[in-house]
Structure formats: structure tokens, C-alpha cells
Amino acid sequence: MPELQIHSPTIVHHMAALDDGRLINARAAPPNSLAAIQACLDASAAIIELDITALADSDYLLVHDDQLESETSGQGAVAQCTTAQARELRFKHHHALTSHRVPVLSDVVNLFERHSARSLLQLDFKNVNPLPNDEPLHRLIHLIEPLRERVIVSSGADWQLRKLRRLAPWLMLGFDIMYYIDWMPEHTPRHPQAMPKQRGAYGYYDDHLLASKRAWSVQDYLLDVCESLMGRVPDVSAFYLEHPLLAQSLADGFNWAEPLHQRGIKLDAWTLDVTKPVAVENAKRLHAAGVDMLTTNTPRALARVLNIATRVET
């Protein structure tokens, strides 16, 4: 099983975030941009998380959404955009067009190879829908192979992760379980297309048959969910859970870190920004509960709150 070598807890820089310590929301460059990635590498960030979506041909674009107009100067589907066309794109940031071009994954790999920092690269694989063939997966493996043990590919699409495991046994994989179980406070607005769609008998959003009627304790039910999800991706290296779900599970007497650690799986909590008081309180609780990674848009500020390091040795 590929092992994620980190010192717990580790700060994960969400979309290459790097707060400057004076104004928490300040960013020198747009999320996912090369300038932001360079700044994180210069700071020896432990883990830099980036979004990738497959282009029409030979590369991946560093965007979160599948439509270009959402984050860039382009129009149409990312899947219809060629790498040559992607070279002309510029980021939008706070609804304004910037001078920062949108990088492709090969740019990022080259930057990581050249830089002296030993940061790990987390690639959040945004192609959720099944692909027409395996070429984009082979393409991804070829692009990241120079970095080998410094890359982990994460996704909520366990069907994509299973294919990646068959194609690249050496690759570290991370599973975001958001399509299987979730939690939000009562009366919190929820997107009508969000999965899972209904709140089950145990108080969690969970469309599984077993959630239709309470038969076990909440702790026993959550343990069964955790064990079933651990089997969905062979040799998975890490689980990714949203911090409200983890915090509510602790309140219900269940700590996801414990069964995961028994299988050698690391646990990440996302997205813990110090601009949100509930996230700060949850970060403290989850840190104490043994969560291994804390994903945030405010890495330096969160590290100060928890009195932990953000850097790796160069």
C-alpha cells in the first residue's frame, strides 16, 4: 500500500493558499495559479492542494469547475478545450479578469521538479462523471510519474480512483466520501443537486437503505459506514471529510481517525479557515482527536492557532 509520509498534523494549502499574516483574505495571486504555487513552494509548504480537470488532449487544466467561464477568460466546456487554447486563458479572481494565465498540470510538475522544496502535491481530480475511455487516466499517470511518491490524487469519485489503482499501483490515492455521507445543521440551506439528498434516521445526510430506519446506536452505524467506505478504494492512503461531519461524529461518540488509523489510512479535515469561528473551534477539536491533515485557505493563521508548523524540510 502506498504510504503517505507526513508528520501529523499537517497543514494542507487549499488551492495553493498562502495568507500573508496581515490580512487573512489577502492573496498575492489567484487560487491554482503558478504564482500562488511558487509562493507556497518558496514557503516550503508541507502539502499543496490543486484542482485538475481534463483538457481535450494532452494535459489537465488547473480549474475547479467544468465550464471555463466560471474561473477563466474562456467559454465552454473544459473537456472541449485543447492545451494550445488553454495557453491563452487568464484567471478570473473576485469576478475580475487578471493577468495570471491558467496553468496546465505539466507546468506544475516542472515547477515542483525545479524547486528545492520537498512539498507534497495533492491533486483534486474533478472529473467525476465516468470517462469515455481510460486515456485521460493514462495521461494523468504519465504527467505525474516524475514526482512519484510526492503526489496524492484525491477525488469523491471512487470509480475513478479504482481505475487509477489498477493502472498505477504505486500511486497514493485519497478518497473524499462526500457523496456517501454528510452532515449539516438543521435548517441549513442545501443545494438541490447535492448528494446525498436526504437526512437519514441517524441525523446524517445518507441515502443508504440502512439509514431509512434506526436499528443501531449512532456510533455503531458510523463505524459500519466507515468500514464499508474503506473497502471502496483498494490501498487508499487517505480519507477526506468535511470538518462539520467530523465534528458532529465526535459529538455522537465516533472518531473517524481511530478505525482509519487501524488500517494505516490518514485523515484530512476540510476546509478549516480561521475567518469562521466554528471552523476554529472544530480545528482544535479535530487536532486533539488525531486528524492528520487540516486543509485550509488560511494556513499560517491556522498553524498559529494550533501551534503547529506549516513547513517541510528542504
Side-chain angles (χ1 to χ4, degrees):
M1 171 175 165
E3 186 177 354
L4 183 58
Q5 300 285 350
I6 59 170
H7 297 288
S8 300
T10 292
I11 295 289
V12 180
H13 295 239
H14 183 239
M15 300 168 79
L18 190 67
D19 50 307
D20 68 357
R22 295 168 296 171
L23 181 63
I24 293 302
N25 289 323
R27 298 192 67 128
N32 285 321
S33 66
L34 278 182
I37 300 165
Q38 177 76 53
C40 286
L41 287 168
D42 290 345
S44 296
I47 304 178
I48 304 170
E49 186 264 2
L50 304 169
D51 300 319
I52 57 169
T53 302
L55 288 163
D57 49 14
S58 59
D59 220 314
Y60 279 77
L61 197 65
L62 267 67
V63 289
H64 182 281
D65 296 342
D66 61 4
Q67 298 298 311
L68 291 168
E69 55 268 29
S70 177
E71 301 163 71
T72 81
S73 57
Q75 296 286 323
V78 176
Q80 300 301 316
C81 179
T82 67
T83 302
Q85 291 168 334
R87 295 291 184 189
E88 304 301 318
L89 296 174
R90 296 294 181 269
F91 271 119
K92 291 178 184 175
H93 190 42
H94 298 310
H95 307 292
L97 192 63
T98 75
S99 61
H100 293 269
R101 70 177 182 85
V102 185
V104 294
L105 180 55
S106 56
D107 296 332
V108 176
V109 172
N110 289 336
L111 179 57
F112 266 69
E113 284 189 292
R114 295 195 313 267
H115 205 283
S116 60
R118 299 303 298 168
S119 305
L120 294 178
L121 174 60
Q122 179 194 341
L123 297 174
D124 197 1
F125 190 82
K126 293 300 183 182
N127 290 94
V128 171
N129 293 328
L131 299 161
N133 56 61
D134 290 345
E135 185 281 324
L137 300 179
H138 285 287
R139 181 198 318 174
L140 174 61
I141 294 165
H142 173 73
L143 287 167
I144 63 178
E145 193 162 14
L147 297 179
R148 297 286 294 196
E149 70 279 1
R150 293 178 62 194
V151 181
I152 181 168
V153 176
S154 61
S155 178
D158 51 292
W159 43 96
Q160 308 285 36
L161 296 175
R162 286 191 292 274
K163 282 197 171 187
L164 282 170
R165 170 57 67 236
R166 290 195 293 271
L167 296 172
W170 53 268
L171 180 60
M172 289 189 295
L173 299 176
F175 182 25
D176 190 324
I177 68 171
M178 59 184 171
Y179 298 131
Y180 291 96
I181 189 167
D182 195 7
W183 183 86
M184 298 173 68
E186 292 281 356
H187 310 302
T188 302
R190 188 170 176 85
H191 195 284
Q193 295 181 345
M195 299 289 290
K197 290 188 174 296
Q198 58 189 357
R199 194 183 291 270
Y202 296 89
Y204 294 78
Y205 281 95
D206 183 352
D207 295 334
H208 197 283
L209 175 63
L210 289 176
S212 62
K213 183 179 180 180
R214 185 177 289 213
W216 298 331
S217 69
V218 179
Q219 299 99 311
D220 286 344
Y221 181 70
L222 290 173
L223 177 59
D224 186 75
V225 171
C226 180
E227 289 178 338
S228 68
L229 292 174
M230 283 192 287
R232 298 196 72 86
V233 181
D235 295 329
V236 67
S237 296
F239 263 39
Y240 294 82
L241 278 70
E242 197 167 6
H243 71 86
L245 168 59
L246 285 169
Q248 183 60 38
S249 297
L250 286 176
D252 285 331
F254 179 72
N255 183 354
W256 287 79
E258 293 174 355
L260 290 172
H261 288 167
Q262 289 174 9
R263 299 277 192 93
I265 301 169
K266 298 291 195 296
L267 176 60
D268 174 278
W270 59 272
T271 302
L272 293 151
D273 298 344
V274 299
T275 51
K276 300 175 182 178
V278 67
V280 173
E281 291 306 309
N282 283 346
K284 294 175 182 177
R285 295 176 62 199
L286 298 178
H287 174 28
V291 170
D292 303 285
M293 296 173 288
L294 306 163
T295 296
T296 177
N297 291 297
T298 56
R300 287 170 169 166
L302 182 63
R304 286 195 296 272
V305 167
L306 300 177
N307 193 29
I308 60 177
T310 62
R311 297 170 61 90
V312 291
E313 294 299 324
T314 58

